[in-house]
Amino acid sequence: MQYLAVLLGIFGLELKIKNKVEETKKEGQTEERCGGFLLIRKHHNKGAFLNTGQHRPKLITAVSLLLTAVLSVFYIVTLGTAGKGLLKWGLTLLLGGAYSNTYDRLARKYVVDYVSFDLPFGLKKIIFNIGDFCIMIGALVTAIGYSK
């Protein structure tokens, strides 16, 4: 049950933050935090990671739905098995982020991204959301948990 609580928590927190960003920020407006290292700015991502496929949003939405559905079935099956805690936590994080971003694609027709970091080599231009971090960390933890 703790897995589902965390998954729903990720989804709920992301929805709240994204709604707040949509209401209070203008596209391209930047707010510096943590001495300028953390940048808060609104971006509508119509594609996938790094705007990949932004000119084919319907395809991106379909792929997102398909992958989320397949992972959801795998998650449900995994939750019913003993052990595999690392795998369950990885899938929890991954799906919390996936549900959030897929919801955005369905409801808004784009994903709300809002945080970036003042890092060198053009990395400052990449804008994320918490769901993206959950997907990346969850995928890594899932891979490690699945291999054990």
Side-chain angles (χ1 to χ4, degrees), residues 80-99:
T81 62
K84 302 271 186 195
L86 201 56
L87 178 60
K88 291 175 187 176
W89 280 118
L91 288 169
T92 297
L93 291 172
L94 199 158
L95 283 171
Y99 288 157

Side-chain angles (χ1 to χ4, degrees), residues 101-112:
N101 287 347
T102 300
Y103 172 83
D104 268 10
R105 286 187 179 97
L106 292 170
R108 304 178 206 264
K109 307 298 182 216
Y110 55 83
V111 174
V112 178

